[in-house]
Amino acid sequence: MDSFPAYGGPPVAVVGNGPVGQTTALLLARWGIPVVLLDARPERDAVGSKAICQQRDVLDVWAAVGAGRIAEEGLTWDTARTFHRDRELFSWSFTDRGHSPLPPFVNLSQCRSEQILDEALAAEPRIDVRWGHEVTAIGQDDRTVLLTCATAAGEVRVEAAYAVAAAGARGDRIRDLLGVDFAGHSFDDRFLICDIRADLPGWETERRFHFDPEWNPGRQVLIHPCPDSTFRIDWQVPADFDLDAEDADGRLDARIRAIIGDRAYEIVWRSVYRFHSRCVDRMRVGRVLLAGDCAHLVAPFGARGLNSGVADAENAAWKLAFVLHGWAPEELLDSYHHERSAAARENLAVTGDTMRFLVPRTEDERRARERVLEQARDDAEARARVDSGRFAEPYWYVDSPLTTTDPDRPFGGRPPRGEMPTVVPGVLIPDAPVAVAERPGLTRLRQLVRDGLLALTTTGVDTAEVGRVLAETTDAPRRVLRLADIDEHGTLTTALNTRPSETWLLRPDGHIAAVVPSNPADALAPAVRRVLGHAH
């Protein structure tokens, strides 16, 4: 694949040095784009577990930017168990069409993930990290963004080609400066979160969700394993819950011992949260893209917050890089809002359903939920209606303006819990073992996709013709590979359900842009122009 040409223009500013901002900066630098990474805090606050569940496709992104140790250090789990009172209702495990070597999920505290990402930032000369820079004004014209920052040394101005606002849930000032609406609502019930260190044999690889246990009657408890014999416990608690009072009179200790028994334990961290469901009305404001919690907030059941934010980062990074390198028109950035706001709405819908099941709004809803839970003890259909959180999954861009649909491969809609969707245009391609002769250290398909456009051909396709069409259509980095040459064991071919005489066009984030039948002279060029945001 072609090497990236030098980019000589102004940097991209990333506002917010949390995991989404860190990932955005690292991905842009990987594309050869200089970055100024700004954060209002004087330094990183490494406290608490915060977001702990990292999904396979996010681990893949982090591996691509030099943070593969997150997957290595994280505790792998693959089974989700759901209980009602004293009885287990069901359990399920994740599927993987491509048999990726990466685990479906790992649990690792956000502060440790940030430390590993910081090490990758420090090794990247294109990234200028600036703590203590609070953005107080944003101006922009048709060429640049001008950020005014308050610092301990006085006012500083940062000029950038574009900016990504990843300032987190408390990014109110950034949202106000951009004039975006952040509509939604907050849930009345609160959630007590404790990280405890204890020896709990048999709990190390399972997520456990308890409806109405005797030790938290009428509410829920969630237990997640983490590295170093640490477990995160979430209790749903009333709106007037007082953590300090519970700690002082021994009720907090009783809560913990009701779960773990008479074992020694240590509280590593604790906090009380109220969850929110909100989304900005625009994720692109001129030359500024909003990402992560700065753009959308969802309840944490299903781990859709940070994982979705990293997907924002990758979507923004490749599109900004293609525009700045001159490989795509600026109109490509319009698709950022289209794709990622649709993903945010999906997350809001999924987590909203979960919260309505966890926190019924009326007595009728509460009785209906109780009936479902009782029936689920013996009824498979009722078990399917028990909602303890649908876990994070990559969004499917089947309705994106960048996707060329295939009438022979219709999208089947949201797949069952724990399953992957049928592989069609718009869906993220499954990771799979591959072997590429000129790159012996490369072992996974996803390691190929982030260098530009990738065309995979099946039997009966003239690959030289595919290469010619790509070269005539775009200056972007590109590669053409025969599936038969890289898919030694047929895993990828089976996962895709390929047919003879097809060309599979992949975006730089691994989503399938098009499946072009027969030889590509007529159909491939329009698909390439579409995925790059050119007017049709």
Side-chain angles (χ1 to χ4, degrees):
M1 195 168 281
D2 300 343
S3 60
F4 305 145
Y7 169 68
V12 170
V14 177
V15 182
N17 196 353
V20 176
Q22 291 171 294
T23 305
T24 305
L26 288 164
L27 287 166
L28 285 166
R30 186 179 180 276
W31 284 107
I33 306 298
V35 177
V36 178
L37 180 54
L38 308 169
D39 199 291
R41 296 170 295 174
E43 60 187 4
R44 190 169 303 289
D45 39 274
V47 178
S49 60
K50 300 181 183 177
I52 60 169
C53 297
Q54 330 294 3
Q55 193 256 353
R56 171 187 286 125
D57 304 292
V58 169
L59 299 175
D60 174 47
V61 173
W62 284 339
V65 295
R69 278 171 47 217
I70 294 175
E72 296 167 7
E73 291 189 16
L75 185 146
T76 298
W77 66 276
D78 56 14
T79 301
R81 298 191 182 279
T82 298
F83 300 81
H84 180 222
R85 296 178 184 152
D86 60 348
R87 181 172 175 180
E88 181 174 347
L89 298 181
F90 58 85
S91 67
W92 54 268
S93 300
F94 299 97
T95 62
D96 176 19
R97 295 182 189 278
H99 305 290
S100 170
L102 293 172
F105 268 89
V106 301
N107 284 359
L108 187 67
S109 70
Q110 180 175 323
C111 60
R112 179 55 185 150
S113 296
E114 289 174 337
Q115 290 171 354
I116 296 171
L117 290 165
D118 275 341
E119 293 171 8
L121 289 171
E124 178 47 74
R126 294 185 181 90
I127 300 175
D128 177 9
V129 178
R130 301 184 188 181
W131 294 100
H133 280 61
E134 181 180 7
V135 175
T136 58
I138 301 174
Q140 53 180 311
D141 55 29
D142 60 356
R143 296 180 62 84
T144 59
V145 178
L146 183 63
L147 304 175
T148 302
C149 303
T151 75
E155 193 172 86
V156 172
R157 288 180 172 83
V158 176
E159 186 176 283
Y162 292 91
V164 178
R170 294 185 173 89
D172 299 316
R173 169 172 277 186
I174 298 297
R175 290 186 288 264
D176 289 344
L177 290 171
L178 293 172
V180 297
D181 184 44
F182 200 43
H185 64 277
S186 301
F187 296 94
D188 290 335
D189 270 39
R190 304 171 78 192
F191 291 82
L192 163 66
I193 297 175
C194 285
D195 293 347
I196 67 165
R197 187 169 290 119
D199 183 19
L200 300 175
W203 292 24
E204 302 92 343
T205 60
E206 298 177 353
R207 174 256 203 188
R208 296 180 171 218
F209 194 103
H210 295 262
F211 284 102
D212 193 21
E214 63 178 13
W215 22 271
N216 198 36
R219 291 186 167 86
Q220 282 67 249
V221 175
L222 172 64
I223 306 167
H224 263 287
C226 294
D228 301 323
S229 298
T230 299
F231 294 83
R232 173 169 170 167
I233 308 177
D234 296 51
W235 290 265
Q236 182 187 358
V237 295
D240 61 354
F241 177 81
D242 187 332
L243 176 55
D244 291 335
E246 283 228 352
D247 191 16
D249 64 17
R251 283 178 291 164
L252 180 60
D253 176 69
R255 278 184 182 274
I256 295 170
R257 293 204 175 278
I259 297 173
I260 70 171
D262 188 21
R263 290 182 171 89
Y265 73 89
E266 171 192 359
I267 296 180
V268 180
W269 179 68
R270 64 186 193 180
S271 187
V272 180
Y273 283 94
R274 176 173 283 121
F275 298 139
H276 309 277
S277 179
R278 299 184 181 277
C279 186
V280 295
D281 57 331
R282 292 173 292 158
M283 291 186 67
R284 180 189 181 191
V285 182
R287 303 182 79 83
V288 182
L289 309 181
L290 290 93
D293 284 354
C294 193
H296 41 74
L297 289 174
V298 297
F301 296 102
R304 288 174 173 259
L306 173 56
N307 288 291
S308 181
V310 171
D312 290 347
E314 183 163 43
N315 196 294
W318 81 261
K319 291 173 181 177
L320 286 168
F322 269 51
V323 170
L324 289 170
H325 279 299
W327 301 329
E330 188 175 0
E331 288 73 20
L332 176 63
L333 299 180
D334 290 336
S335 68
Y336 174 76
H337 167 78
H338 188 287
E339 293 183 343
R340 296 313 301 163
S341 66
R345 290 193 300 272
E346 172 72 8
N347 287 331
L348 288 169
V350 169
T351 56
D353 288 345
T354 299
M355 289 303 290
R356 281 186 289 275
F357 195 82
L358 299 185
V359 189
R361 295 164 293 184
T362 67
E363 189 57 35
D364 285 345
E365 288 185 357
R366 186 174 298 278
R367 284 196 294 267
R369 187 191 75 164
E370 188 63 24
R371 283 195 299 272
V372 169
L373 290 170
E374 290 288 349
Q375 292 167 2
R377 292 171 174 252
D378 304 301
D379 182 349
E381 189 278 330
R383 285 195 288 273
R385 290 186 281 130
V386 173
D387 192 342
S388 57
R390 180 186 174 93
F391 274 87
E393 58 206 327
Y395 186 66
W396 35 86
Y397 302 135
V398 292
D399 295 322
S400 168
L402 306 189
T403 301
T404 301
T405 58
D406 182 352
D408 293 331
R409 286 184 169 84
F411 180 56
R414 186 187 296 170
R417 182 166 42 198
E419 298 286 336
M420 298 177 69
T422 303
V423 184
V424 302
V427 168
L428 181 63
I429 197 164
D431 205 1
V434 296
V436 181
E438 66 269 28
R439 295 181 65 179
L442 186 150
T443 59
R444 298 187 293 111
L445 175 67
R446 296 274 188 82
Q447 293 172 306
L448 281 170
V449 302
R450 290 189 175 87
D451 293 339
L453 298 177
L454 176 62
L456 301 176
T457 63
T458 64
T459 57
V461 175
D462 183 345
T463 56
E465 174 70 1
V466 172
R468 182 191 66 78
V469 172
L470 287 173
E472 290 179 353
T473 309
T474 179
D475 294 328
R478 56 204 176 268
R479 183 194 294 271
V480 182
L481 292 171
R482 293 183 179 90
L483 262 174
D485 292 342
I486 64 171
D487 188 23
E488 290 183 322
H489 305 292
T491 304
L492 182 57
T493 300
T494 300
L496 301 182
N497 191 24
T498 62
R499 304 162 190 166
S501 301
E502 288 182 335
T503 299
W504 289 64
L505 179 65
L506 307 185
R507 300 163 27 149
D509 56 5
H511 285 263
I512 300 160
V515 180
V516 178
S518 68
N519 280 315
D522 295 329
L524 181 58
V528 172
R529 288 192 291 270
R530 179 183 293 274
V531 77
L532 296 179
H534 290 282
H536 306 298

